[in-house]
Amino acid sequence: MQYWHKELETLPREKLEQLQLERLKKILKRVYQKVPHYRKKLQDAGINPSNIKSLDEIRNIPFTTKEDLFVDYPYGLLTVPIEKVIRLHTSSGTTGKPKAIFFSKKDIENSAELIARCLVMTGATKNDILQNSMTYGLFTGAFVMHYGAEKVGIFVIPAGPGNTERQINLMRDFGTTMLHMTPSYTLYVASVIYDKGIDPKKELKLKRAYLGAEPYSEETRKKIENMLGIDIYNCYGLTEMNGPGVGFECIYKDGLHIWEDNFLMEVINPETGKPVNDGEIGELVLTTLNREAMPLIRYRTRDLTRIISEPCKCGRTHRRISRILGRSDDMFIVKGVNIFPQQIEQVLMGINGVAQNYQIVLDSYDEMIVRVEIDREIFDGKIEKLVRLKDEIIDKIRSATMVKPKVELLEPGTLPISEGKAKRVIDKRTI
Ligand code: AMP
Ligand code: ZN
């Protein structure tokens, strides 16, 4: 099969680690020579890239944070002349300027190659038709997937997000077999397919969907899989590391493989910066091992996960990470308790009668309001059923988070629809 680079994907661990070390030394030498900001960091830490003997020594190198991207903004981290850059992608930061990442021709080809490996890993072939409903533009999501799918020979429909009616028509008219969307938008699209009385299992040719760009739970995966009768594969990435395809599930859907010939991964305690014990949850830190224009060393992703070291049934030796549990900066505090939006989502999507959309509103430090759309039959039905559903939601959120929420049940279609990343938490305390 094309792009099933068996030898590389099943490389024995010692060999893979040897390759990582060679690449790490090379990339450190490059940033030392070409990037004053990195040279200073390495010199201050007393590190000479030529003397690195083992992968563990990476722990002596200072982290790269989002803030470092702005020190010599925008071109300061380039290791190639601007003439060698062929594309810019950005990701919105929380303040001011966007994070800017530059790709050389080799980087574009490589990012496509990595996505190609990912798609093939899930069973996709050149006979598939991919409806790519991420945003084309400055974001990485759509473009990187597009080039990767084309590399496999997949027929790509560059749909972009939104206009749900048109999305469904495209699926029907052209026989889309695979989707690339955010999970929140897919939930919405699935609900519209139902509202229109379309039986997706009979009238559409969908087989799989690659969902990512935001956290979602196993419950959401199952809900969409059941609604559409397809397989959903979790696709994780961030602009700073090329975008989608940094972590991707194989057919076993049990954790996301990271292509370790391209990324060196660590998981650290976000407070202390020290590595966590094997398999413990912490913040993912990534080093690009094969990037030409703008390598990043020990980049703090802020994403929380854990490394799964056990070998995968698929035979690939590149280790996996668990589903992203949230971002360390997504956490909010109510009544002194730390809560991740993901915990609420996981509860809601596992409850029968809850529809696709919800929102968490925080207007005081003592109360969390959960606004949740419910199925039409229940909304229009008997009051006892409504009360029972509301109590179930309150109880389950309380046992998952230790905080009793105020729950508002809403008619389907009340809350804003997201076509990209959903904004689930409205924190009025910080506005
Ligand atoms: P961006 O650089 O704008 O594409 O955003 C990247 C961020 O989106 C990551 O750092 C994660 O926080 C989030 N993200 C992307 N894919 C996933 C995924 N599959 N699961 C959870 N979060 C994700
Ligand atoms: Zn696997």
Side-chain angles (χ1 to χ4, degrees):
M1 200 191 290
Q2 270 175 313
Y3 290 100
W4 164 220
H5 297 305
K6 191 162 183 204
E7 201 184 329
L8 184 60
E9 294 179 28
T10 59
L11 208 60
R13 290 292 315 167
E14 321 82 70
K15 290 228 168 104
L16 189 52
E17 284 169 18
Q18 207 180 317
L19 176 64
Q20 287 188 308
L21 183 60
E22 277 162 28
R23 289 187 168 177
L24 177 67
K25 287 177 74 164
K26 225 159 110 186
I27 217 127
L28 287 175
K29 276 188 198 154
R30 231 191 34 254
V31 296
Y32 192 91
Q33 285 164 1
K34 313 264 181 181
V35 183
H37 183 61
Y38 270 128
R39 182 160 51 243
K40 181 160 186 333
K41 265 183 184 251
L42 291 167
Q43 278 170 346
D44 289 351
I47 289 159
N48 178 346
S50 312
N51 296 341
I52 301 242
K53 300 261 171 331
S54 76
L55 286 173
D56 284 348
E57 288 175 52
I58 197 171
R59 292 182 191 157
N60 305 325
I61 301 174
F63 294 113
T64 302
T65 61
K66 192 175 66 190
E67 288 69 34
D68 287 305
L69 303 181
F70 295 100
V71 175
D72 293 321
Y73 192 78
Y75 296 122
L77 294 180
L78 278 183
T79 64
V80 296
I82 296 178
E83 305 88 84
K84 277 200 104 175
V85 170
I86 62 163
R87 199 193 294 165
L88 161 73
H89 277 297
T90 69
S91 163
S92 44
T94 35
T95 51
K97 293 191 194 314
K99 293 174 260 177
I101 305 294
F102 305 95
F103 294 71
S104 67
K105 190 163 196 301
K106 190 171 157 240
D107 293 331
I108 292 289
E109 274 162 17
N110 191 45
S111 64
E113 154 78 28
L114 296 184
I115 286 277
R117 283 193 211 169
C118 293
L119 294 173
V120 168
M121 177 162 70
T122 66
T125 71
K126 63 184 181 43
N127 300 329
D128 277 301
I129 301 179
L130 174 75
Q131 191 159 320
N132 194 7
S133 307
M134 294 289 195
T135 307
Y136 282 82
L138 282 166
F139 293 121
T140 47
F143 271 105
V144 172
M145 177 61 80
H146 187 116
Y147 278 58
E150 280 190 349
K151 217 171 169 82
V152 183
I154 291 167
F155 162 9
V156 184
I157 303 176
N163 198 339
T164 307
E165 191 106 350
R166 191 187 60 189
Q167 298 280 357
I168 297 168
N169 289 340
L170 288 170
M171 289 177 210
R172 269 216 283 218
D173 293 353
F174 301 106
T176 302
T177 62
M178 318 201 291
L179 299 173
H180 180 214
M181 286 183 181
T182 61
S184 49
Y185 187 50
T186 318
L187 273 167
Y188 177 70
V189 172
S191 73
V192 175
I193 289 176
Y194 268 75
D195 290 348
K196 287 181 164 302
I198 299 169
D199 179 350
K201 291 163 204 166
K202 292 207 182 106
E203 294 172 62
L204 302 177
K205 299 222 168 80
L206 294 177
K207 286 191 286 201
R208 12 185 131 78
Y210 304 107
L211 305 188
E214 62 187 5
Y216 61 113
S217 61
E218 204 51 48
E219 282 67 19
T220 296
R221 183 217 301 263
K222 292 210 182 85
K223 185 163 180 148
I224 307 173
E225 283 189 335
N226 289 337
M227 285 176 91
L228 296 178
I230 59 174
D231 282 306
I232 287 177
Y233 297 94
N234 197 345
C235 162
Y236 162 74
L238 61 160
T239 309
E240 297 89 310
M241 295 287 134
N242 292 354
V246 175
F248 218 88
E249 285 179 325
C250 65
I251 49 164
Y252 294 101
K253 298 192 229 169
D254 186 17
L256 298 87
H257 286 281
I258 302 267
W259 298 122
E260 291 188 86
D261 57 325
N262 274 259
F263 300 104
L264 186 66
M265 63 167 158
E266 301 168 75
V267 173
I268 61 158
N269 176 322
E271 259 118 58
T272 63
K274 299 268 177 293
V276 298
N277 292 330
D278 227 18
E280 263 176 34
I281 290 169
E283 178 182 333
L284 183 66
V285 171
L286 295 170
T287 297
T288 61
L289 293 176
N290 201 17
R291 193 192 257 170
E292 185 175 51
M294 192 173 164
L296 292 175
I297 313 298
R298 300 197 88 201
Y299 186 72
R300 290 192 60 161
T301 65
R302 297 280 160 202
D303 292 320
L304 300 173
T305 184
R306 67 184 179 85
I307 294 180
I308 305 172
S309 299
E310 298 83 59
C312 184
K313 281 187 265 178
C314 74
R316 288 175 181 82
T317 48
H318 299 242
R319 286 174 302 166
R320 291 162 293 160
I321 56 168
S322 73
R323 181 179 281 288
I324 303 289
L325 304 168
R327 294 179 59 79
S328 54
D329 39 15
D330 265 358
M331 191 190 75
F332 58 87
I333 299 179
V334 179
K335 288 189 168 167
V337 178
N338 298 347
I339 300 176
F340 284 98
Q342 180 92 1
Q343 291 173 281
I344 313 287
E345 184 238 42
Q346 187 170 7
V347 169
L348 292 176
M349 293 303 139
I351 296 178
N352 261 336
V354 167
Q356 285 71 33
N357 213 345
Y358 68 94
Q359 199 174 59
I360 302 160
V361 181
L362 306 168
D363 51 15
S364 90
Y365 286 92
D366 299 324
E367 191 170 60
M368 157 170 72
I369 303 165
V370 180
R371 309 182 71 216
V372 47
E373 291 185 8
I374 58 170
D375 288 347
R376 167 69 55 199
E377 310 88 84
I378 301 193
F379 193 84
D380 292 339
K382 291 215 170 86
I383 188 82
E384 298 88 79
K385 271 200 172 172
L386 274 172
V387 173
R388 223 179 302 139
L389 180 59
K390 188 167 172 175
D391 287 346
E392 182 181 353
I393 295 174
I394 293 174
D395 278 355
K396 288 192 170 157
I397 292 180
R398 183 174 41 197
S399 54
T401 64
M402 320 289 274
V403 171
K404 183 178 174 189
K406 184 172 165 202
V407 169
E408 292 174 12
L409 301 184
L410 307 173
E411 185 172 8
T414 313
L415 293 171
I417 298 147
S418 86
E419 292 165 358
K421 293 180 197 253
K423 183 159 174 51
R424 298 294 191 193
V425 182
I426 311 291
D427 195 342
K428 297 185 178 165
R429 310 170 304 184
T430 52
I431 291 171

